[in-house]
Amino acid sequence: MNRGSSGRWLVVVLVGLGLLSASCSLPTDDGVRRAGTVQPDVAERRGGTLELPPGPQPGARPSEIVAGFLEAQISGANRHGVSRKYLTERATWDDETGVTVYRAGLLPSLVDGDPSGAGPLSYEVRFDKIGAIGADGAADVSAPAPRTETFQLVRDKEGEWRIDELAAGLLLSTDTRDAAFSAATVYFLPARTPGPAAHLVADRQLVPVGSEPDLLVRRVLAGPSRGLGDSGRTAAPPGTDLVSPVKLDASGAGVVVDLTAQADELLPSAREALAAQLVWTLRRFPDLLRLTLLVDGKPFLVGRNDQPLLVRSAFAVADPQGTQQTATAIVGGKLRGIGGSVPASARSATSVRDLAVDPRSGHVALLTGSLAEGTLGVGPANGPLRTIAQGAGLTSPTWGDGAYGVWLLRTGASSSVLVTRGGTPRRVAFPGLPVLDASSTLRVSRDGSRVLLVSGGELILARIVPPAEGATGDAAQVPVIQDVRQLRSVGTVAADWLDDTRLAVLVSETRPLLLVSIDGLSQDAVNQPLQDVRAQSVAALGDLPLLVGAVSDDAAPVPTRTPARPPPDANHASDPKQDPAGAASPGPVVGSSSKAPVAEPPSQPLPEARLFSGRPGQPFDIELRDAVRPRYPG
């Protein structure tokens, strides 16, 4: 490849990618991409047809061979067939071990040999690694870390330079990663139950652009990626495979999935669960309408014969988001419904500070009183409510999928995360838990697999894992928090779960709302023209309007300083049950016996509150005045 053709190929890449698309604009000073309207995450789109690189040109110089090999990795067709044209016949390259993502600007440099001679040559590329994609589709974002990779080149029998030795895996820049891979949601079962579950959990995985149903079906059978880990499981027995590849039928609207004999071991309920996993995962393909499930050529689902499943509508009850959708807000200490009525058990309540509704059962968790002395009542939508927690610093109740009862925070000097399974509050070990204040937000995903925490400007995400097998007593009632990750370090005000794999995040009181993917790859700004107010809370649920609670601009600012984290051996030092990770060990919490000092806001006239409603990319309108703390079920 000569310089001219190499330059033309770079232009082709940029044009083919639509200059990486308007929704993948250059990062702003806070590292967030902004968009006038919210487009799907760049990694969510399947992308258009790209003009592929032509492969090595006659007489190409060694540096152009290395550069061309890396550029061609944007195409995964035929096991990266174009990239393999840059290799010798004897070269071995495993392109399935994962992807190293680097910051754009990589250039090959000669480290050994004479390019004008017969070779061999040694070239290296130096770059900053900023992420990775595993062979299972799990993606990571990391702080820049210097890396070097070496390529050995020799002349082939025609005298052309080719790569003879190289490391396994792909090397992609952030730009080519987003063009070569798209995000897919693969569905699994909750890990907490040994039998079939009532709903599914979501696993965000990256797959090559243009992937067919066969790959997604195999991902379901293989089990969760590292991103979901043991927070989910597949109904497929170990070793289950496909009798033949999954292909679209002649109409392009149906597929046949024929499973190997291992799947014949499943009980009818487990077969339904696996079918639900496949149906929900295959909804990624908008034109796919029918799924026929077989095991060794015989009907898989008991009682359904060989009738195909309707991909767009089957197993609606397995929705990870639940079925409850009515939103609420607080006006003058009482609840107001938004687009529906307030649960009967909470209608007459006063001094309300928060309300959480179970997205499946409709049960409520009502927090009343002051921060210095709060009361959490729990019960069915039609009542009565039973007091299950009382004391100082209680805030931010959330149900998730309801498996562990209500979660909530205890703020102040004895900061902790609590679950109320069985009606008894118990501490959850949360590694690195900061000191929490009254503005901290806790939200468990509606599928029950993850938890987000906003505190002191930080946005923290973690996985929820069931108690260890064989655990007894309190330990059997309390989940385990793992893989605690910081998605944003400063400026976060509040967040909520938009859907299975994305968060709606307020990054400051005056900046736009962000839609953030759980792997941190996508942080897209929503155009939100809110004037003369400071946003303080957010509620989100799928396609329903976003709700943003704000106060007038003359309100006292809310601090966003990150509280100092005490060292692990000193965090909650007054708690004799403190574990080495720096989080309170699981154990019962006595209702009102903990009287940690809680700072109440200074007495002053309250600023005007407003509740805004709008959809991403559209203007927000005032929904309610004097309303605070909007909540969707969850």
Side-chain angles (χ1 to χ4, degrees), residues 136 188 203 205 219-220 222-230 232-234:
D136 60 358
F188 295 97
D203 187 11
Q205 299 183 13
R219 292 279 178 95
V220 169
S225 75
R226 180 170 40 85
L228 180 61
D230 50 0
R233 60 187 175 89
T234 183

Side-chain angles (χ1 to χ4, degrees), residues 331-404:
V331 179
K334 300 194 69 174
L335 289 165
R336 287 278 300 272
I338 303 173
S341 60
V342 173
S345 55
R347 285 176 193 162
S348 61
T350 59
S351 302
V352 175
R353 285 204 290 123
D354 210 345
L355 174 76
V357 176
D358 187 331
R360 288 171 180 81
S361 70
H363 277 53
V364 303
L366 180 68
L367 183 61
T368 58
S370 66
L371 190 63
E373 187 65 31
T375 299
L376 181 70
V378 175
N382 292 324
L385 302 184
R386 180 168 68 96
T387 297
I388 62 172
Q390 196 168 18
L394 301 180
T395 189
S396 201
T398 175
W399 285 91
D401 67 348
Y404 298 103

Side-chain angles (χ1 to χ4, degrees), residues 107 113 140 177 195 210 274 345 483 492-493 566 634:
L107 292 173
D140 292 319
R177 174 204 63 197
L274 180 55
S345 55
D483 293 346
T492 307
V493 174

Side-chain angles (χ1 to χ4, degrees), residues 19-28 32-36 42 175 524-525:
L19 296 180
L20 297 178
S21 164
S23 68
C24 186
S25 54
L26 294 176
T28 62
V32 177
R33 294 193 300 268
R34 306 205 180 280
V42 172
D175 296 343
D524 293 313

Side-chain angles (χ1 to χ4, degrees), residues 476-494:
Q477 304 296 315
V478 180
V480 178
I481 299 297
Q482 293 184 357
D483 293 346
V484 179
R485 296 184 296 120
Q486 184 188 76
L487 288 187
R488 293 188 65 88
S489 60
V490 293
T492 307
V493 174

